[in-house]
Amino acid sequence: MNKSIHLTIDGKPVEAKHGQTIMQAADAAGIYIPRLCSHPDLRPIGSCRVCTVIVDGRPQAACVKPAMDGMVIENDTPELLQHRRNIIDMMFVEGNHFCMFCEKSGNCELQAMAYRFGITAPQYPFQFPEKAVDASHPDIMLDHNRCIMCARCVRASQELDGKNVFQAIGRGFHRKIGVDGEKALADTDMAVGDRSADVCPVGCIIKKRIGFRTAIGRRLYDRQPIGSDIEANATP
Amino acid sequence: MSKPRVATTSLAGCFGCHMSLLDIDERILSLIERVDFDRSPIDDIKHISQRCAIGLIEGGCCNEENVRVLYEFRKNCDLLISVGDCATMGGIPALRNNIPLQECIDEAYRTGVTVYNPDDITPQDPEIPLLLNRVYPCHEVVKIDYFLPGCPPSADTLWAALTALLSGQPLELPYELLKYD
């Protein structure tokens, strides 16, 4: 079992350890596979499908698929870029993403992904769905308009905080993040120091009174595309 | 040969994108050497007078007049560009899109807490353009050739786009110039 695993991503040889997912192996090799629901501290669930890669001709979610010896993986292809772009576009039109006044703008992973893919406007009609804002908690705001159903908060609350503040409820277009069933955030034991308040990739879970602290131009994705940190590990 | 013409308009927008266009500072001198402005709030020409190379659209469509102006631009411009988040996705005016129109009008003119309207009048003069049921991004009304998102798109973004298109280059924005805020 100690024999290491050899696979290729876009023709580049990559060495992986047993138990690693394709995404973990790629990250270590400095190859960025775009992702939204995946978070390094959380159990992967393969929900957003942005990390879809072609493994030996079949589409697989890189965040959950274990790396195996001899895999031939495609990541950076026009077809996969289009597939990922379509998902990002759908996320934009299925929510109400008003970047111009969002506290998360510049540090938002959904927005950064759209920047990385060079999206200037979604190709689908905007839905403008009716979504709620829960500002009941003294320190945390929950804006469902911006939620992309990555379920990072659900996993962080259970796996890292030992709580059960968030759950996914409903199906399809009506799926949403529930707070302890159908309660308000103030009725739960959620605290501002919880990891579940940190992991939101978009501006859905926002800590109050700290918005807009970083100047435009110095925010996370103002100058460098998302994934640049991983790509900096690449061996020549 | 006559210079290419550029027309601009602000539909359901705040004129912030036009302010950003003026924010190209002294580069505006080299811009007016290369183009003539047709219909635009900058020169106050009311209708497009002849064929234009580029039409810049700020704002989405919130009323019937916006739609008519957008049709005029589409008919008379070779390239139509959605400038800013309102033209691209509806922007701030689109916040009303999941509230029924009558509720919006009632809140603004009848039931809002700061409203003083003893005669209970809501605007209905024929001169006032009729509001649409919701705010539409421009590309949901006519074909749009290019999009420059941003609130507003920076002067550098507008300059990069205009200079590329005027020299027949493809419009490819560098990473720093594509922003949604």
PDB file of all heavy atoms in Angstrom, chain A residues 97-98 100-101 105 114-115 119 125-126 128-129 219 221-222 224-225, chain B residues 85 88-89 91-92 97-98 134 137 140 147 149 151 175 178-181:
ATOM      1  N   HIS A  97     -27.763  38.308  -6.878  1.00  0.00           N
ATOM      2  CA  HIS A  97     -26.381  38.640  -6.561  1.00  0.00           C
ATOM      3  C   HIS A  97     -26.086  40.082  -6.954  1.00  0.00           C
ATOM      4  O   HIS A  97     -25.769  40.371  -8.105  1.00  0.00           O
ATOM      5  CB  HIS A  97     -25.433  37.664  -7.264  1.00  0.00           C
ATOM      6  CG  HIS A  97     -25.616  36.253  -6.806  1.00  0.00           C
ATOM      7  ND1 HIS A  97     -25.036  35.763  -5.654  1.00  0.00           N
ATOM      8  CD2 HIS A  97     -26.359  35.231  -7.298  1.00  0.00           C
ATOM      9  CE1 HIS A  97     -25.402  34.501  -5.483  1.00  0.00           C
ATOM     10  NE2 HIS A  97     -26.203  34.165  -6.466  1.00  0.00           N
ATOM     11  N   PHE A  98     -26.252  40.980  -5.992  1.00  0.00           N
ATOM     12  CA  PHE A  98     -25.994  42.399  -6.228  1.00  0.00           C
ATOM     13  C   PHE A  98     -24.597  42.738  -5.709  1.00  0.00           C
ATOM     14  O   PHE A  98     -24.428  43.201  -4.583  1.00  0.00           O
ATOM     15  CB  PHE A  98     -27.076  43.251  -5.549  1.00  0.00           C
ATOM     16  CG  PHE A  98     -28.417  43.127  -6.212  1.00  0.00           C
ATOM     17  CD1 PHE A  98     -29.305  42.131  -5.858  1.00  0.00           C
ATOM     18  CD2 PHE A  98     -28.778  44.007  -7.225  1.00  0.00           C
ATOM     19  CE1 PHE A  98     -30.538  42.007  -6.487  1.00  0.00           C
ATOM     20  CE2 PHE A  98     -30.011  43.900  -7.858  1.00  0.00           C
ATOM     21  CZ  PHE A  98     -30.891  42.892  -7.486  1.00  0.00           C
ATOM     22  N   MET A 100     -22.638  45.045  -6.294  1.00  0.00           N
ATOM     23  CA  MET A 100     -22.268  46.453  -6.062  1.00  0.00           C
ATOM     24  C   MET A 100     -22.442  46.892  -4.616  1.00  0.00           C
ATOM     25  O   MET A 100     -21.790  47.821  -4.186  1.00  0.00           O
ATOM     26  CB  MET A 100     -23.009  47.377  -7.044  1.00  0.00           C
ATOM     27  CG  MET A 100     -24.499  47.530  -6.854  1.00  0.00           C
ATOM     28  SD  MET A 100     -25.469  46.065  -7.230  1.00  0.00           S
ATOM     29  CE  MET A 100     -25.503  46.026  -8.998  1.00  0.00           C
ATOM     30  N   PHE A 101     -23.336  46.221  -3.851  1.00  0.00           N
ATOM     31  CA  PHE A 101     -23.427  46.622  -2.439  1.00  0.00           C
ATOM     32  C   PHE A 101     -23.189  45.459  -1.486  1.00  0.00           C
ATOM     33  O   PHE A 101     -23.532  45.541  -0.313  1.00  0.00           O
ATOM     34  CB  PHE A 101     -24.771  47.319  -2.137  1.00  0.00           C
ATOM     35  CG  PHE A 101     -25.995  46.478  -2.403  1.00  0.00           C
ATOM     36  CD1 PHE A 101     -26.358  45.477  -1.519  1.00  0.00           C
ATOM     37  CD2 PHE A 101     -26.788  46.706  -3.509  1.00  0.00           C
ATOM     38  CE1 PHE A 101     -27.497  44.709  -1.751  1.00  0.00           C
ATOM     39  CE2 PHE A 101     -27.924  45.948  -3.748  1.00  0.00           C
ATOM     40  CZ  PHE A 101     -28.281  44.946  -2.858  1.00  0.00           C
ATOM     41  N   SER A 105     -18.085  41.350  -1.691  1.00  0.00           N
ATOM     42  CA  SER A 105     -17.517  41.638  -3.000  1.00  0.00           C
ATOM     43  C   SER A 105     -16.000  41.836  -2.900  1.00  0.00           C
ATOM     44  O   SER A 105     -15.503  42.532  -2.025  1.00  0.00           O
ATOM     45  CB  SER A 105     -18.160  42.901  -3.580  1.00  0.00           C
ATOM     46  OG  SER A 105     -17.788  43.058  -4.923  1.00  0.00           O
ATOM     47  N   ALA A 114     -16.255  33.764 -11.504  1.00  0.00           N
ATOM     48  CA  ALA A 114     -16.743  34.426 -12.723  1.00  0.00           C
ATOM     49  C   ALA A 114     -15.643  35.296 -13.330  1.00  0.00           C
ATOM     50  O   ALA A 114     -15.469  35.332 -14.545  1.00  0.00           O
ATOM     51  CB  ALA A 114     -17.981  35.259 -12.410  1.00  0.00           C
ATOM     52  N   TYR A 115     -14.880  35.985 -12.479  1.00  0.00           N
ATOM     53  CA  TYR A 115     -13.749  36.792 -12.979  1.00  0.00           C
ATOM     54  C   TYR A 115     -12.729  35.886 -13.665  1.00  0.00           C
ATOM     55  O   TYR A 115     -12.230  36.190 -14.739  1.00  0.00           O
ATOM     56  CB  TYR A 115     -13.037  37.518 -11.835  1.00  0.00           C
ATOM     57  CG  TYR A 115     -13.789  38.657 -11.177  1.00  0.00           C
ATOM     58  CD1 TYR A 115     -13.323  39.195  -9.974  1.00  0.00           C
ATOM     59  CD2 TYR A 115     -14.924  39.209 -11.741  1.00  0.00           C
ATOM     60  CE1 TYR A 115     -13.984  40.244  -9.356  1.00  0.00           C
ATOM     61  CE2 TYR A 115     -15.589  40.256 -11.124  1.00  0.00           C
ATOM     62  CZ  TYR A 115     -15.111  40.766  -9.918  1.00  0.00           C
ATOM     63  OH  TYR A 115     -15.760  41.799  -9.315  1.00  0.00           O
ATOM     64  N   ILE A 119     -16.314  35.937 -17.253  1.00  0.00           N
ATOM     65  CA  ILE A 119     -17.748  36.097 -17.524  1.00  0.00           C
ATOM     66  C   ILE A 119     -18.121  37.571 -17.391  1.00  0.00           C
ATOM     67  O   ILE A 119     -17.917  38.167 -16.339  1.00  0.00           O
ATOM     68  CB  ILE A 119     -18.592  35.244 -16.544  1.00  0.00           C
ATOM     69  CG1 ILE A 119     -18.285  33.762 -16.733  1.00  0.00           C
ATOM     70  CG2 ILE A 119     -20.077  35.531 -16.728  1.00  0.00           C
ATOM     71  CD1 ILE A 119     -18.974  32.849 -15.732  1.00  0.00           C
ATOM     72  N   PRO A 125     -31.568  33.701 -18.572  1.00  0.00           N
ATOM     73  CA  PRO A 125     -32.421  34.796 -18.058  1.00  0.00           C
ATOM     74  C   PRO A 125     -32.406  34.858 -16.532  1.00  0.00           C
ATOM     75  O   PRO A 125     -32.436  33.813 -15.857  1.00  0.00           O
ATOM     76  CB  PRO A 125     -33.817  34.442 -18.585  1.00  0.00           C
ATOM     77  CG  PRO A 125     -33.754  33.028 -19.010  1.00  0.00           C
ATOM     78  CD  PRO A 125     -32.331  32.667 -19.288  1.00  0.00           C
ATOM     79  N   PHE A 126     -32.375  36.063 -16.011  1.00  0.00           N
ATOM     80  CA  PHE A 126     -32.368  36.243 -14.561  1.00  0.00           C
ATOM     81  C   PHE A 126     -33.718  35.840 -13.973  1.00  0.00           C
ATOM     82  O   PHE A 126     -34.769  36.172 -14.514  1.00  0.00           O
ATOM     83  CB  PHE A 126     -32.077  37.700 -14.215  1.00  0.00           C
ATOM     84  CG  PHE A 126     -30.641  38.075 -14.413  1.00  0.00           C
ATOM     85  CD1 PHE A 126     -30.217  38.645 -15.611  1.00  0.00           C
ATOM     86  CD2 PHE A 126     -29.704  37.854 -13.421  1.00  0.00           C
ATOM     87  CE1 PHE A 126     -28.889  38.983 -15.804  1.00  0.00           C
ATOM     88  CE2 PHE A 126     -28.379  38.184 -13.610  1.00  0.00           C
ATOM     89  CZ  PHE A 126     -27.975  38.755 -14.792  1.00  0.00           C
ATOM     90  N   PHE A 128     -34.614  36.395 -10.564  1.00  0.00           N
ATOM     91  CA  PHE A 128     -35.003  37.308  -9.479  1.00  0.00           C
ATOM     92  C   PHE A 128     -35.951  36.627  -8.486  1.00  0.00           C
ATOM     93  O   PHE A 128     -37.081  37.064  -8.283  1.00  0.00           O
ATOM     94  CB  PHE A 128     -35.637  38.587 -10.042  1.00  0.00           C
ATOM     95  CG  PHE A 128     -34.678  39.420 -10.842  1.00  0.00           C
ATOM     96  CD1 PHE A 128     -34.839  39.562 -12.210  1.00  0.00           C
ATOM     97  CD2 PHE A 128     -33.613  40.058 -10.227  1.00  0.00           C
ATOM     98  CE1 PHE A 128     -33.944  40.327 -12.946  1.00  0.00           C
ATOM     99  CE2 PHE A 128     -32.721  40.822 -10.969  1.00  0.00           C
ATOM    100  CZ  PHE A 128     -32.887  40.959 -12.322  1.00  0.00           C
ATOM    101  N   PRO A 129     -35.519  35.510  -7.901  1.00  0.00           N
ATOM    102  CA  PRO A 129     -36.400  34.807  -6.964  1.00  0.00           C
ATOM    103  C   PRO A 129     -36.602  35.603  -5.672  1.00  0.00           C
ATOM    104  O   PRO A 129     -35.798  36.472  -5.335  1.00  0.00           O
ATOM    105  CB  PRO A 129     -35.631  33.517  -6.673  1.00  0.00           C
ATOM    106  CG  PRO A 129     -34.196  33.907  -6.835  1.00  0.00           C
ATOM    107  CD  PRO A 129     -34.171  34.929  -7.936  1.00  0.00           C
ATOM    108  N   ARG A 219      -8.439  43.694  -1.792  1.00  0.00           N
ATOM    109  CA  ARG A 219      -9.223  42.534  -1.396  1.00  0.00           C
ATOM    110  C   ARG A 219      -8.645  41.279  -2.058  1.00  0.00           C
ATOM    111  O   ARG A 219      -7.821  41.363  -2.974  1.00  0.00           O
ATOM    112  CB  ARG A 219     -10.690  42.753  -1.773  1.00  0.00           C
ATOM    113  CG  ARG A 219     -11.281  43.980  -1.085  1.00  0.00           C
ATOM    114  CD  ARG A 219     -12.621  44.356  -1.659  1.00  0.00           C
ATOM    115  NE  ARG A 219     -12.555  44.607  -3.089  1.00  0.00           N
ATOM    116  CZ  ARG A 219     -13.591  44.974  -3.825  1.00  0.00           C
ATOM    117  NH1 ARG A 219     -14.768  45.131  -3.272  1.00  0.00           N
ATOM    118  NH2 ARG A 219     -13.449  45.171  -5.115  1.00  0.00           N
ATOM    119  N   TYR A 221      -9.404  38.955  -4.199  1.00  0.00           N
ATOM    120  CA  TYR A 221      -9.380  38.620  -5.629  1.00  0.00           C
ATOM    121  C   TYR A 221      -9.336  39.854  -6.524  1.00  0.00           C
ATOM    122  O   TYR A 221      -9.690  39.791  -7.688  1.00  0.00           O
ATOM    123  CB  TYR A 221     -10.582  37.734  -5.976  1.00  0.00           C
ATOM    124  CG  TYR A 221     -10.666  36.510  -5.099  1.00  0.00           C
ATOM    125  CD1 TYR A 221     -11.757  36.289  -4.263  1.00  0.00           C
ATOM    126  CD2 TYR A 221      -9.628  35.581  -5.088  1.00  0.00           C
ATOM    127  CE1 TYR A 221     -11.816  35.170  -3.437  1.00  0.00           C
ATOM    128  CE2 TYR A 221      -9.681  34.459  -4.267  1.00  0.00           C
ATOM    129  CZ  TYR A 221     -10.774  34.265  -3.448  1.00  0.00           C
ATOM    130  OH  TYR A 221     -10.827  33.161  -2.640  1.00  0.00           O
ATOM    131  N   ASP A 222      -8.909  41.002  -5.975  1.00  0.00           N
ATOM    132  CA  ASP A 222      -8.859  42.217  -6.779  1.00  0.00           C
ATOM    133  C   ASP A 222      -7.802  42.133  -7.875  1.00  0.00           C
ATOM    134  O   ASP A 222      -7.995  42.616  -8.980  1.00  0.00           O
ATOM    135  CB  ASP A 222      -8.578  43.439  -5.892  1.00  0.00           C
ATOM    136  CG  ASP A 222      -9.853  43.982  -5.252  1.00  0.00           C
ATOM    137  OD1 ASP A 222     -10.938  43.666  -5.774  1.00  0.00           O
ATOM    138  OD2 ASP A 222      -9.760  44.702  -4.244  1.00  0.00           O
ATOM    139  N   GLN A 224      -5.379  39.159  -8.174  1.00  0.00           N
ATOM    140  CA  GLN A 224      -4.980  37.797  -8.541  1.00  0.00           C
ATOM    141  C   GLN A 224      -6.214  36.908  -8.661  1.00  0.00           C
ATOM    142  O   GLN A 224      -7.062  36.917  -7.789  1.00  0.00           O
ATOM    143  CB  GLN A 224      -4.062  37.209  -7.466  1.00  0.00           C
ATOM    144  CG  GLN A 224      -2.701  37.860  -7.380  1.00  0.00           C
ATOM    145  CD  GLN A 224      -1.868  37.593  -8.615  1.00  0.00           C
ATOM    146  OE1 GLN A 224      -1.822  36.483  -9.126  1.00  0.00           O
ATOM    147  NE2 GLN A 224      -1.222  38.641  -9.135  1.00  0.00           N
ATOM    148  N   PRO A 225      -6.316  36.119  -9.727  1.00  0.00           N
ATOM    149  CA  PRO A 225      -7.467  35.223  -9.854  1.00  0.00           C
ATOM    150  C   PRO A 225      -7.499  34.191  -8.739  1.00  0.00           C
ATOM    151  O   PRO A 225      -6.452  33.831  -8.179  1.00  0.00           O
ATOM    152  CB  PRO A 225      -7.248  34.539 -11.206  1.00  0.00           C
ATOM    153  CG  PRO A 225      -6.233  35.335 -11.921  1.00  0.00           C
ATOM    154  CD  PRO A 225      -5.410  36.036 -10.883  1.00  0.00           C
TER     155      PRO A 225
ATOM    156  N   ASP B  85     -23.488  47.495 -14.256  1.00  0.00           N
ATOM    157  CA  ASP B  85     -24.290  46.393 -13.738  1.00  0.00           C
ATOM    158  C   ASP B  85     -25.779  46.551 -14.039  1.00  0.00           C
ATOM    159  O   ASP B  85     -26.486  45.558 -14.206  1.00  0.00           O
ATOM    160  CB  ASP B  85     -24.082  46.273 -12.220  1.00  0.00           C
ATOM    161  CG  ASP B  85     -22.719  45.681 -11.879  1.00  0.00           C
ATOM    162  OD1 ASP B  85     -22.122  45.044 -12.763  1.00  0.00           O
ATOM    163  OD2 ASP B  85     -22.259  45.870 -10.740  1.00  0.00           O
ATOM    164  N   THR B  88     -26.389  45.367 -17.446  1.00  0.00           N
ATOM    165  CA  THR B  88     -26.004  43.963 -17.558  1.00  0.00           C
ATOM    166  C   THR B  88     -26.945  43.038 -16.785  1.00  0.00           C
ATOM    167  O   THR B  88     -27.290  41.971 -17.261  1.00  0.00           O
ATOM    168  CB  THR B  88     -24.570  43.783 -17.028  1.00  0.00           C
ATOM    169  OG1 THR B  88     -23.710  44.647 -17.762  1.00  0.00           O
ATOM    170  CG2 THR B  88     -24.087  42.369 -17.197  1.00  0.00           C
ATOM    171  N   MET B  89     -27.334  43.442 -15.582  1.00  0.00           N
ATOM    172  CA  MET B  89     -28.178  42.524 -14.789  1.00  0.00           C
ATOM    173  C   MET B  89     -29.357  43.219 -14.097  1.00  0.00           C
ATOM    174  O   MET B  89     -30.046  42.593 -13.318  1.00  0.00           O
ATOM    175  CB  MET B  89     -27.325  41.754 -13.759  1.00  0.00           C
ATOM    176  CG  MET B  89     -26.446  42.545 -12.833  1.00  0.00           C
ATOM    177  SD  MET B  89     -27.291  43.313 -11.425  1.00  0.00           S
ATOM    178  CE  MET B  89     -27.673  41.883 -10.431  1.00  0.00           C
ATOM    179  N   GLY B  91     -29.282  45.672 -11.943  1.00  0.00           N
ATOM    180  CA  GLY B  91     -28.678  46.524 -10.922  1.00  0.00           C
ATOM    181  C   GLY B  91     -29.650  46.927  -9.825  1.00  0.00           C
ATOM    182  O   GLY B  91     -30.631  46.236  -9.551  1.00  0.00           O
ATOM    183  N   ILE B  92     -29.355  48.048  -9.196  1.00  0.00           N
ATOM    184  CA  ILE B  92     -30.163  48.499  -8.052  1.00  0.00           C
ATOM    185  C   ILE B  92     -31.660  48.609  -8.403  1.00  0.00           C
ATOM    186  O   ILE B  92     -32.502  48.167  -7.621  1.00  0.00           O
ATOM    187  CB  ILE B  92     -29.628  49.854  -7.520  1.00  0.00           C
ATOM    188  CG1 ILE B  92     -28.164  49.726  -7.086  1.00  0.00           C
ATOM    189  CG2 ILE B  92     -30.484  50.370  -6.370  1.00  0.00           C
ATOM    190  CD1 ILE B  92     -27.931  48.956  -5.833  1.00  0.00           C
ATOM    191  N   ASN B  97     -37.667  43.746  -8.432  1.00  0.00           N
ATOM    192  CA  ASN B  97     -38.180  42.709  -9.324  1.00  0.00           C
ATOM    193  C   ASN B  97     -38.946  41.589  -8.650  1.00  0.00           C
ATOM    194  O   ASN B  97     -39.702  40.892  -9.300  1.00  0.00           O
ATOM    195  CB  ASN B  97     -37.045  42.125 -10.171  1.00  0.00           C
ATOM    196  CG  ASN B  97     -36.742  43.003 -11.360  1.00  0.00           C
ATOM    197  OD1 ASN B  97     -37.321  44.081 -11.487  1.00  0.00           O
ATOM    198  ND2 ASN B  97     -35.856  42.575 -12.228  1.00  0.00           N
ATOM    199  N   ASN B  98     -38.740  41.367  -7.365  1.00  0.00           N
ATOM    200  CA  ASN B  98     -39.589  40.350  -6.740  1.00  0.00           C
ATOM    201  C   ASN B  98     -40.648  40.958  -5.831  1.00  0.00           C
ATOM    202  O   ASN B  98     -41.199  40.296  -4.975  1.00  0.00           O
ATOM    203  CB  ASN B  98     -38.761  39.264  -6.037  1.00  0.00           C
ATOM    204  CG  ASN B  98     -37.626  39.850  -5.228  1.00  0.00           C
ATOM    205  OD1 ASN B  98     -37.828  40.871  -4.575  1.00  0.00           O
ATOM    206  ND2 ASN B  98     -36.462  39.217  -5.276  1.00  0.00           N
ATOM    207  N   ARG B 134     -41.320  44.561 -14.469  1.00  0.00           N
ATOM    208  CA  ARG B 134     -40.073  44.462 -13.720  1.00  0.00           C
ATOM    209  C   ARG B 134     -38.961  45.114 -14.530  1.00  0.00           C
ATOM    210  O   ARG B 134     -39.193  45.578 -15.647  1.00  0.00           O
ATOM    211  CB  ARG B 134     -39.754  43.011 -13.368  1.00  0.00           C
ATOM    212  CG  ARG B 134     -39.427  42.090 -14.527  1.00  0.00           C
ATOM    213  CD  ARG B 134     -39.080  40.704 -13.961  1.00  0.00           C
ATOM    214  NE  ARG B 134     -38.691  39.728 -14.955  1.00  0.00           N
ATOM    215  CZ  ARG B 134     -37.454  39.597 -15.436  1.00  0.00           C
ATOM    216  NH1 ARG B 134     -36.488  40.424 -15.048  1.00  0.00           N
ATOM    217  NH2 ARG B 134     -37.178  38.667 -16.316  1.00  0.00           N
ATOM    218  N   PRO B 137     -32.633  43.522 -17.810  1.00  0.00           N
ATOM    219  CA  PRO B 137     -31.308  43.812 -18.353  1.00  0.00           C
ATOM    220  C   PRO B 137     -31.434  44.019 -19.862  1.00  0.00           C
ATOM    221  O   PRO B 137     -32.328  43.422 -20.488  1.00  0.00           O
ATOM    222  CB  PRO B 137     -30.488  42.567 -18.039  1.00  0.00           C
ATOM    223  CG  PRO B 137     -31.356  41.625 -17.308  1.00  0.00           C
ATOM    224  CD  PRO B 137     -32.734  42.156 -17.266  1.00  0.00           C
ATOM    225  N   GLU B 140     -31.929  41.202 -22.418  1.00  0.00           N
ATOM    226  CA  GLU B 140     -33.197  40.475 -22.449  1.00  0.00           C
ATOM    227  C   GLU B 140     -34.223  41.220 -23.300  1.00  0.00           C
ATOM    228  O   GLU B 140     -35.361  40.773 -23.461  1.00  0.00           O
ATOM    229  CB  GLU B 140     -33.715  40.231 -21.029  1.00  0.00           C
ATOM    230  CG  GLU B 140     -32.826  39.257 -20.261  1.00  0.00           C
ATOM    231  CD  GLU B 140     -33.366  38.849 -18.888  1.00  0.00           C
ATOM    232  OE1 GLU B 140     -34.518  39.174 -18.565  1.00  0.00           O
ATOM    233  OE2 GLU B 140     -32.601  38.221 -18.134  1.00  0.00           O
ATOM    234  N   PHE B 147     -20.397  43.360 -23.104  1.00  0.00           N
ATOM    235  CA  PHE B 147     -20.810  43.739 -21.756  1.00  0.00           C
ATOM    236  C   PHE B 147     -19.611  44.275 -20.993  1.00  0.00           C
ATOM    237  O   PHE B 147     -18.534  43.671 -21.011  1.00  0.00           O
ATOM    238  CB  PHE B 147     -21.371  42.526 -20.999  1.00  0.00           C
ATOM    239  CG  PHE B 147     -22.586  41.917 -21.645  1.00  0.00           C
ATOM    240  CD1 PHE B 147     -22.454  40.938 -22.615  1.00  0.00           C
ATOM    241  CD2 PHE B 147     -23.858  42.326 -21.289  1.00  0.00           C
ATOM    242  CE1 PHE B 147     -23.560  40.380 -23.228  1.00  0.00           C
ATOM    243  CE2 PHE B 147     -24.974  41.777 -21.892  1.00  0.00           C
ATOM    244  CZ  PHE B 147     -24.829  40.800 -22.865  1.00  0.00           C
ATOM    245  N   PRO B 149     -19.335  44.978 -17.234  1.00  0.00           N
ATOM    246  CA  PRO B 149     -19.938  45.085 -15.911  1.00  0.00           C
ATOM    247  C   PRO B 149     -19.136  46.014 -15.006  1.00  0.00           C
ATOM    248  O   PRO B 149     -18.051  46.468 -15.368  1.00  0.00           O
ATOM    249  CB  PRO B 149     -19.926  43.642 -15.402  1.00  0.00           C
ATOM    250  CG  PRO B 149     -18.833  42.969 -16.144  1.00  0.00           C
ATOM    251  CD  PRO B 149     -18.697  43.677 -17.459  1.00  0.00           C
ATOM    252  N   CYS B 151     -19.783  48.731 -11.232  1.00  0.00           N
ATOM    253  CA  CYS B 151     -20.717  49.713 -10.693  1.00  0.00           C
ATOM    254  C   CYS B 151     -19.944  50.916 -10.170  1.00  0.00           C
ATOM    255  O   CYS B 151     -19.796  51.069  -8.979  1.00  0.00           O
ATOM    256  CB  CYS B 151     -21.588  49.099  -9.609  1.00  0.00           C
ATOM    257  SG  CYS B 151     -22.941  50.161  -9.101  1.00  0.00           S
ATOM    258  N   TYR B 175      -7.463  40.940 -16.391  1.00  0.00           N
ATOM    259  CA  TYR B 175      -8.136  40.516 -15.148  1.00  0.00           C
ATOM    260  C   TYR B 175      -8.549  41.693 -14.268  1.00  0.00           C
ATOM    261  O   TYR B 175      -9.669  41.748 -13.766  1.00  0.00           O
ATOM    262  CB  TYR B 175      -7.229  39.559 -14.356  1.00  0.00           C
ATOM    263  CG  TYR B 175      -7.883  39.061 -13.086  1.00  0.00           C
ATOM    264  CD1 TYR B 175      -8.758  37.990 -13.106  1.00  0.00           C
ATOM    265  CD2 TYR B 175      -7.639  39.697 -11.864  1.00  0.00           C
ATOM    266  CE1 TYR B 175      -9.379  37.550 -11.962  1.00  0.00           C
ATOM    267  CE2 TYR B 175      -8.266  39.259 -10.707  1.00  0.00           C
ATOM    268  CZ  TYR B 175      -9.128  38.183 -10.768  1.00  0.00           C
ATOM    269  OH  TYR B 175      -9.752  37.770  -9.622  1.00  0.00           O
ATOM    270  N   LEU B 178     -11.960  43.583 -15.172  1.00  0.00           N
ATOM    271  CA  LEU B 178     -13.287  42.965 -15.125  1.00  0.00           C
ATOM    272  C   LEU B 178     -13.716  42.868 -13.670  1.00  0.00           C
ATOM    273  O   LEU B 178     -13.202  42.057 -12.910  1.00  0.00           O
ATOM    274  CB  LEU B 178     -13.249  41.574 -15.767  1.00  0.00           C
ATOM    275  CG  LEU B 178     -14.546  40.744 -15.631  1.00  0.00           C
ATOM    276  CD1 LEU B 178     -15.706  41.423 -16.307  1.00  0.00           C
ATOM    277  CD2 LEU B 178     -14.354  39.348 -16.171  1.00  0.00           C
ATOM    278  N   LYS B 179     -14.639  43.750 -13.268  1.00  0.00           N
ATOM    279  CA  LYS B 179     -15.107  43.779 -11.876  1.00  0.00           C
ATOM    280  C   LYS B 179     -16.612  43.984 -11.874  1.00  0.00           C
ATOM    281  O   LYS B 179     -17.160  44.632 -12.772  1.00  0.00           O
ATOM    282  CB  LYS B 179     -14.425  44.931 -11.112  1.00  0.00           C
ATOM    283  CG  LYS B 179     -12.934  44.727 -10.894  1.00  0.00           C
ATOM    284  CD  LYS B 179     -12.658  43.729  -9.793  1.00  0.00           C
ATOM    285  CE  LYS B 179     -11.196  43.364  -9.686  1.00  0.00           C
ATOM    286  NZ  LYS B 179     -10.745  42.352 -10.648  1.00  0.00           N
ATOM    287  N   TYR B 180     -17.263  43.431 -10.851  1.00  0.00           N
ATOM    288  CA  TYR B 180     -18.716  43.589 -10.770  1.00  0.00           C
ATOM    289  C   TYR B 180     -19.102  44.671  -9.757  1.00  0.00           C
ATOM    290  O   TYR B 180     -20.282  44.839  -9.465  1.00  0.00           O
ATOM    291  CB  TYR B 180     -19.391  42.279 -10.341  1.00  0.00           C
ATOM    292  CG  TYR B 180     -19.217  41.128 -11.308  1.00  0.00           C
ATOM    293  CD1 TYR B 180     -19.587  39.843 -10.952  1.00  0.00           C
ATOM    294  CD2 TYR B 180     -18.718  41.325 -12.589  1.00  0.00           C
ATOM    295  CE1 TYR B 180     -19.443  38.787 -11.832  1.00  0.00           C
ATOM    296  CE2 TYR B 180     -18.568  40.284 -13.468  1.00  0.00           C
ATOM    297  CZ  TYR B 180     -18.932  39.009 -13.084  1.00  0.00           C
ATOM    298  OH  TYR B 180     -18.786  37.960 -13.951  1.00  0.00           O
ATOM    299  N   ASP B 181     -18.114  45.335  -9.164  1.00  0.00           N
ATOM    300  CA  ASP B 181     -18.482  46.345  -8.151  1.00  0.00           C
ATOM    301  C   ASP B 181     -17.767  47.660  -8.411  1.00  0.00           C
ATOM    302  O   ASP B 181     -17.063  47.799  -9.403  1.00  0.00           O
ATOM    303  CB  ASP B 181     -18.189  45.841  -6.741  1.00  0.00           C
ATOM    304  CG  ASP B 181     -16.728  45.476  -6.546  1.00  0.00           C
ATOM    305  OD1 ASP B 181     -15.916  45.705  -7.464  1.00  0.00           O
ATOM    306  OD2 ASP B 181     -16.401  44.951  -5.475  1.00  0.00           O
TER     307      ASP B 181
END
